[in-house]
Amino acid sequence: MHSSRWLILAAVMMAFTPVVVDTTILHIAIPSLAVALGASGNEVLWIIDVYPLVMAGLLVPMGTLADRIGYRQILLIGLGIFGATSIAAAFSTSALMLIVTRAILGIGSAMIMPCVLALVRQAFEDDAERATALGIWSVVGMAGAAIGPLIGGVLLEHFWWGSVFLVNVPVMMLVIPAVWKLVPSQPGNSEATWKPGQALLLVAGLVLTVYGIKSGFKAALDLQSVVILTSGVALLAWFSCIQISSENPMLDLSLLAKPAIGTGLIMAFVASGSLAGFELVLAQELQYVLDKTPLEAGVFMLPIVVAAAIGGPAGGWLANRYGLRAVASLSMAAAALALFAISMSNLAEDVYAVAVILAILGFALGVGLLASSIAIMGSAPAEKAGAAGALESSGYELGGGLGITIFGVLVNSIYRSSFSHPADVDGVSNSISEAMTAARDIGGSAGLEIAVAAKVAFGAAHSSVLMLVAAMIAVLSVLIFVALRNAPISNSGTY
């Protein structure tokens, strides 16, 4: 047993925190950086979701690479990439540069994440101590995501949008020496299989598919969009065929044959996607439409993120007491009702009522995420627990990235159809970020008219999308209730 195990835990938690915070801190900064960089609606979506998409595609192969080379080595490389790229992202001069740096940040995060858990498991040999350490890891993860928007709001109250990236640098300057000093160096397993080609195939398929969806919504599915989308789907299908036919797949898709695992993965997609997509769109409405400062928007969003962090631990107790089937289906039903209620609410006037509804939504989605984990891990054979965990982690990250895409393209599509203004100004009807940039540049009464028209269109689009997503999640809650009909009353059984 490592004598410095608690110091090792402190070091890896310091490494883990900025990666988690980075998943939500940028939501608050989007309006500021979109105007500063003149980013289009599609570019805004890429800035946000290229990070989880790249991370999702690389989590498993980076974990196996760490098995081969050693966790300490890969963790240090990942931290170095994350710190250096944070500086580049902070001083990006264009939307394209920021998209590229966010993608590289995803690579660094994919190297950090699997090493954190592996090092915790290595350092703590006692089962009780390991459970405590993993509990601390879980709390840090949930708390980091919860305070991300608030940290972003505080930073943007005093500094420019790049500060949300630059804040990572002093943290890395502390973490890298701590990891170097405290984490022991152990040789890797040279026999561990590493399949970078499959990882690149997955990432390419995801990126092309998402690009095809985004460009298709904007260009009404022209030939280029169809070709790109088809290519992306074909690459994903090829990747799936390789996984199914391989004796040692990167992602064991055969686990999806179990109904509970397939249902759990769908829940992970929907819960993480709904949370990420809704937070992004809400942050834009609060700042663009209601003219709130980043700090005010961060405070406004606290109920959903804090309740989501509480919902995770509470979900385990609820599932034990009332059964997975009831908790999973009711959590999705509650999320659907909350989204519908928000779509009908006036965010400017019904402040306290909206805060309660946001808390209900966050709690329901937090419970849903935990229920999905119980469904996946509880029904996986013991010898495939690692494969199930990899599938679950990938599902969370993919859900977040695709949720942002779905919310974003739907909002932008409805915004374009709802926008009504006689001015013939390029881009103002494409997205609210482009409209606000144009309004600032034009100025005067003409600029004000464009801004008002954009606010009206975006508000209508946001409400319509929330109603649509609420209906989809309501249907999903019924399907979950049917799919988990054989689930035991407590999570101690096998599904």
Side-chain angles (χ1 to χ4, degrees):
M1 183 176 293
H2 293 284
S3 59
S4 59
R5 58 194 179 279
W6 295 108
L7 291 176
I8 294 173
L9 177 65
V12 296
M13 287 304 99
M14 288 173 64
F16 178 54
T17 301
V19 174
V20 178
V21 172
D22 223 50
T23 60
T24 57
I25 192 173
L26 196 58
H27 293 174
I28 288 294
I30 281 296
S32 301
L33 70 84
V35 173
L37 298 178
S40 68
N42 275 354
E43 287 172 333
V44 165
L45 295 182
W46 275 118
I47 289 168
I48 289 288
D49 62 14
V50 72
Y51 177 79
L53 288 177
V54 170
M55 193 195 308
L58 295 180
L59 272 175
V60 177
M62 287 302 180
T64 56
L65 179 62
D67 291 338
R68 283 175 62 92
I69 297 177
Y71 301 118
R72 178 177 179 268
Q73 292 87 329
I74 292 298
L75 178 57
L76 286 170
I77 294 171
L79 291 170
I81 292 173
F82 195 87
T85 310
S86 293
I87 298 174
F91 294 101
S92 294
T93 55
S94 68
L96 178 59
M97 181 178 175
L98 186 54
I99 291 168
V100 172
T101 53
R102 284 278 288 173
I104 300 173
L105 278 172
I107 296 173
S109 297
M111 300 177 82
I112 295 169
M113 293 284 276
C115 294
V116 167
L117 275 177
L119 286 167
V120 169
R121 288 168 179 159
Q122 275 190 353
F124 292 88
E125 298 174 6
D126 179 78
D127 290 341
E129 286 192 348
R130 186 188 298 123
T132 300
L134 290 174
I136 293 172
W137 168 82
S138 177
V139 170
V140 169
M142 290 182 291
I147 64 174
L150 185 60
I151 293 174
V154 171
L155 288 171
L156 292 174
E157 192 77 4
H158 303 286
F159 307 103
W160 95 116
W161 62 266
S163 61
V164 300
F165 295 106
L166 212 57
V167 70
N168 294 328
V169 177
V171 178
M172 292 298 109
M173 292 175 67
L174 292 174
V175 171
I176 292 175
V179 171
W180 183 277
K181 178 70 174 177
L182 296 173
V183 176
S185 179
Q186 295 182 346
N189 178 10
S190 59
E191 297 180 358
T193 303
W194 190 49
K195 301 175 180 178
Q198 293 185 22
L200 293 175
L201 187 64
L202 175 59
V203 172
L206 289 171
V207 170
L208 288 175
T209 300
V210 170
Y211 185 87
I213 293 172
K214 291 176 180 178
S215 60
F217 267 86
K218 187 172 183 178
L221 278 182
D222 59 3
L223 179 60
Q224 179 181 346
S225 301
V226 172
V227 170
I228 292 173
L229 179 59
T230 303
S231 300
V233 172
L235 290 179
L236 292 177
W238 184 15
F239 173 82
S240 299
C241 290
I242 293 174
Q243 304 312 301
I244 293 172
S245 60
S246 174
E247 292 184 3
N248 297 299
M250 191 178 93
L251 286 176
D252 192 350
L253 299 182
S254 66
L255 289 168
L256 297 179
K258 289 182 173 289
I261 293 182
T263 303
L265 193 61
I266 292 173
M267 285 186 63
F269 261 85
V270 172
S272 59
S274 298
L275 191 59
F278 175 71
E279 283 183 359
L280 173 62
V281 177
L282 178 61
Q284 291 183 73
E285 177 157 8
L286 291 173
Q287 295 177 74
Y288 282 140
V289 179
L290 301 185
D291 296 319
K292 290 186 178 293
T293 67
L295 178 58
E296 290 170 341
V299 172
F300 192 98
M301 294 170 64
L302 269 183
I304 185 171
V305 288
V306 171
I310 295 172
W317 179 84
L318 291 171
N320 274 325
R321 184 173 178 85
Y322 300 107
L324 176 64
R325 185 191 192 194
V327 170
S329 55
L330 287 176
S331 67
M332 292 294 99
L337 287 173
L339 285 171
F340 181 77
I342 293 171
S343 73
M344 302 295 291
S345 302
N346 187 317
L347 299 184
E349 298 179 1
D350 307 326
V351 178
Y352 296 109
V354 170
V356 173
I357 299 170
L358 287 176
I360 293 172
L361 175 63
F363 185 82
L365 292 176
V367 170
L369 282 170
L370 192 282
S372 72
S373 181
I374 293 174
I376 294 171
M377 300 308 295
S379 57
E383 67 275 11
K384 291 191 174 183
L391 196 64
E392 178 186 0
S393 298
S394 300
Y396 287 155
E397 298 300 332
L398 284 177
L402 294 177
I404 289 167
T405 296
I406 292 169
F407 267 81
V409 296
L410 287 177
V411 166
N412 285 345
S413 179
I414 297 173
Y415 168 88
R416 284 192 291 272
S417 63
S418 303
F419 186 87
S420 176
H421 189 271
D424 184 18
V425 180
D426 289 340
V428 294
S429 62
N430 288 335
S431 69
I432 192 168
S433 60
E434 292 171 85
M436 290 304 184
T437 300
R440 182 198 62 180
D441 294 341
I442 294 171
S445 59
L448 180 60
E449 289 177 4
I450 292 175
V452 170
K455 291 179 179 183
V456 172
F458 190 86
H462 191 191
S463 295
S464 299
V465 169
L466 291 186
M467 288 184 184
L468 178 60
V469 174
M472 293 170 59
I473 295 179
V475 173
L476 176 63
S477 69
V478 176
L479 296 178
I480 290 171
F481 188 79
V482 174
L484 296 180
R485 58 188 177 277
N486 295 322
I489 296 302
S490 83
N491 67 354
S492 59
T494 301
Y495 299 100

